[in-house]
Amino acid sequence: MGTYIVEEMLDWIEDIKAEVIKLENGATILDCGVKAEGGYEAGMYLARLCLADLADLNYSTFNLKGLNWPAIQVSSDNPLLACMASQYAGWRVAVGDFFGMGSGPARALGLKPKELYEEIGYEDDFEAAVLVLEADKIPDEKVVEYIAKHCSVDPENVTIAVAPTASVAGSVQISARVVETGIHKLESIGFDINCIKSGYGIAPIAPVVGNNVQCMGSTNDCVIYCGETNYTVQFEGELTELEKFVKQAPSTTSADFGKPFYQTFKEANFDFFKVDAGMFAPARITVNDLKSTKTLSSGGLYPEILLESFGIKQI
């Protein structure tokens, strides 16, 4: 899955300002922002790959305190397969001095993580592996061999698309995670995500504000402070139980909510384990329950914090 998107990227590689690298073991690397320039189109392709093309993606605008800011819309009628089985960055690829967070169809082949696929009841079997890596280095043959081994494919059948956090393409694919982020938060608080039938979301796209760590802050802030999601569910419990889940789901409930993520991360000495995991969620979540035909919404949007995160200078 995802191979036809790769073929499309190869056809338009110069237009999307990406570069193709063929490794000695036959693997294909698509550089969308490490050494290549990349941009919005490369970012859109990265997002499509991450979602296994099981979602509709469109660029939009977000009213950021009067600024018409670029944003991305995501909608899917297969949200568990698109977001959790594919897009969720659930594969920590660490080989030698290379490190990257892996997303995309290859995760299902490698069962990364296995317990998630057991929870949603999904298995995959394919002769080619397509992975998206958020990394600031080009993966080499050893990285490919590691991925090929875990996916049970030959190295020449591995394709890796890569872009760093501090890039336009990287910013796009991170904001496109807005629906997935909400599902992951719901799952983390005990919600049965198998009852989610469809998902929609929109999030602003961060500018490049500095190095990868600084951009990690601004890209996360797009979802944490201005990301908005809508889910259609078939909830089997009582409406009061659903209300509790919806109330707990937004980032606004986190103890660390209220300032740009980079500041929070810096105060935690750049230790993720010291940051409240509940912060990683959309700012506002709305759920339409098909059983009760009720719609519940919780959270709010905080564009002033995003403006601070972006460091925009009005002149």
Side-chain angles (χ1 to χ4, degrees), residues 233-239 288-294:
V233 307
Q234 184 80 45
F235 189 72
E236 295 304 321
E238 297 296 324
L239 185 62
N288 172 225
D289 178 34
L290 297 176
K291 178 186 173 184
S292 65
T293 67
K294 300 297 182 181

Side-chain angles (χ1 to χ4, degrees), residues 84-108:
M84 302 306 289
S86 190
Q87 188 185 33
Y88 168 53
W91 193 349
R92 294 172 61 88
V93 178
V95 180
D97 63 353
F98 180 89
F99 177 80
M101 295 302 299
S103 303
R107 272 189 48 241

Side-chain angles (χ1 to χ4, degrees), residues 54-103:
L54 292 172
D56 187 51
L57 295 164
N58 292 286
Y59 282 119
S60 183
T61 55
F62 184 90
N63 186 345
L64 191 59
K65 302 289 284 187
L67 292 174
N68 288 320
W69 199 264
I72 191 163
Q73 292 176 322
V74 184
S75 59
S76 178
D77 289 325
N78 297 283
L80 293 192
L81 294 184
C83 297
M84 302 306 289
S86 190
Q87 188 185 33
Y88 168 53
W91 193 349
R92 294 172 61 88
V93 178
V95 180
D97 63 353
F98 180 89
F99 177 80
M101 295 302 299
S103 303

Side-chain angles (χ1 to χ4, degrees), residues 169-184:
S171 290
V172 170
Q173 71 90 5
I174 293 170
S175 288
R177 296 174 182 274
V178 60
V179 174
E180 176 266 310
T181 306
I183 297 175
H184 187 261

